[in-house]
Structures are given as structure tokens and as C-alpha cells.
Amino acid sequence: MIRLATQQDVMPIATVHVQSWRESYKNIIKQEILDALCVEQRAALWRAVLEGANRQVFVYEENAQVLGFAAFNFPVDAQISELRALYLLQNIQGRGIGRDLVQLGLESSREKQYNHMQCIVLNLNSSRYFYEKMGAYFIREECADDLGENLKDLYYQWDI
């Protein structure tokens, strides 16, 4: 089931965030960065995100357990909304949940009258092909070698 996140979801979201990074970014992001990830620090981040007026976070849960989430930002002074995070535990990937979460963000962006929605994905992360399959197109790249060797942030965009 997908639903809007609440403050009660902060720790489960933080736990999924850390576990998902460790699963998805192994051998991509520097190991010391992955080793330093801390659920409590991520919880502080997600607590602040959920308090933000221009943000929406959706969680996916099964049997009352959060297994994935997507976070969207809706800037007041821009015509571009942002998919800021999309993380699913590895064992539930490939079931259409990510697609459904992205669609919710696109629908919210359309309702709020944004012209585009953007996301950033690492060049070595295979999820970039998921975004392309979802209709996003590449617009630019920036260096991300602070995270690991030969890494770039790829910016993708959807027209709404």
C-alpha cells in the first residue's frame, strides 16, 4: 500500500534509506561513506523533510512495515518540481512500486501546475534506465567524484 508519510514514519524511512544505499550503491559509492551511514542522522533529515511545507513523502508498506519511499519537493519560486529521493529495498524492486511512486509525484506536480519534474541519479546507478523508461530525459551532468571515482550526477527531467 502506498500512502502519505507521517512523522511516525521517520525511523522506518531512515532505516530504508540507509539499507537501500548500502544495497544499491555497493561498489559505486566509496565504502567509507556507506559505512558511515547512520539511521539516527537520516532520521533527523527525514524529520525536517516531513515538516517542510512544500514537500510530499509517500511510503510503500506491506504488513505495516515501510519497505520503500519517494520524496518530492515543490519549490515556490520555480516551475520545476523535484523527485528528491526514491528508495526501495532490493527485495521489492521490479514490482512496479517505483513506477507508482513516480506517477504520484508527476500527478502532484501536474495538480500544482509545474511544467517539469527533475531528478538526479548517479551515472553508475542502473536506476537511471528506470527513469528513462518512465519518460525522463537527460538534461545535464555534474561531477560527483566526492562520492566515488568516475561518478557524475545525471540530471533527468519529465515534461508535465
Side-chain angles (χ1 to χ4, degrees):
M1 168 178 86
I2 295 174
R3 61 172 175 77
L4 274 172
T6 68
Q7 284 293 333
Q8 287 72 36
D9 296 311
V10 164
M11 286 305 288
I13 289 171
T15 301
V16 168
H17 194 171
V18 169
Q19 183 178 340
S20 179
W21 265 56
R22 288 181 175 152
E23 291 173 350
S24 300
Y25 296 133
K26 185 177 183 177
N27 299 320
I28 295 176
I29 289 180
K30 293 176 187 174
Q31 189 60 45
E32 59 265 24
I33 293 173
L34 298 177
D35 291 343
L37 291 173
C38 171
V39 171
E40 291 75 20
Q41 287 176 335
R42 294 295 167 161
L45 165 85
W46 289 108
R47 192 169 293 108
V49 167
L50 287 171
E51 291 171 358
N54 298 315
R55 298 190 173 122
Q56 278 185 327
V57 179
F58 293 96
V59 293
Y60 173 78
E61 66 179 6
E62 287 180 5
N63 302 317
Q65 182 179 6
V66 172
L67 302 175
F69 67 93
F72 300 92
N73 185 39
F74 302 98
V76 177
D77 57 350
Q79 287 300 306
I80 300 173
S81 62
E82 303 164 314
L83 169 58
R84 300 288 299 186
L86 174 60
Y87 295 109
L88 302 173
L89 296 182
Q90 210 164 42
N91 63 337
I92 65 162
Q93 293 177 9
R95 293 174 29 195
I97 299 160
R99 179 196 64 229
D100 293 345
L101 289 166
V102 169
Q103 286 298 334
L104 284 169
L106 289 167
E107 289 168 18
S108 292
S109 297
R110 191 172 297 112
E111 289 169 9
K112 296 174 187 305
Q113 300 183 336
Y114 285 86
N115 295 327
H116 308 283
M117 184 172 79
Q118 286 185 359
C119 70
I120 304 170
V121 61
L122 290 171
N123 61 314
L124 298 181
N125 184 346
S126 61
S127 67
R128 68 186 276 198
Y129 303 110
F130 162 77
Y131 297 118
E132 291 174 4
K133 186 177 176 185
M134 289 290 305
Y137 55 91
F138 173 80
I139 56 173
R140 74 176 190 276
E141 68 181 48
E142 292 181 4
C143 180
D145 58 8
D146 56 321
L147 296 175
E149 196 174 320
N150 300 317
L151 287 181
K152 292 179 174 52
D153 281 329
L154 304 180
Y155 287 72
Y156 279 86
Q157 181 168 288
W158 288 265
D159 295 328
I160 299 177

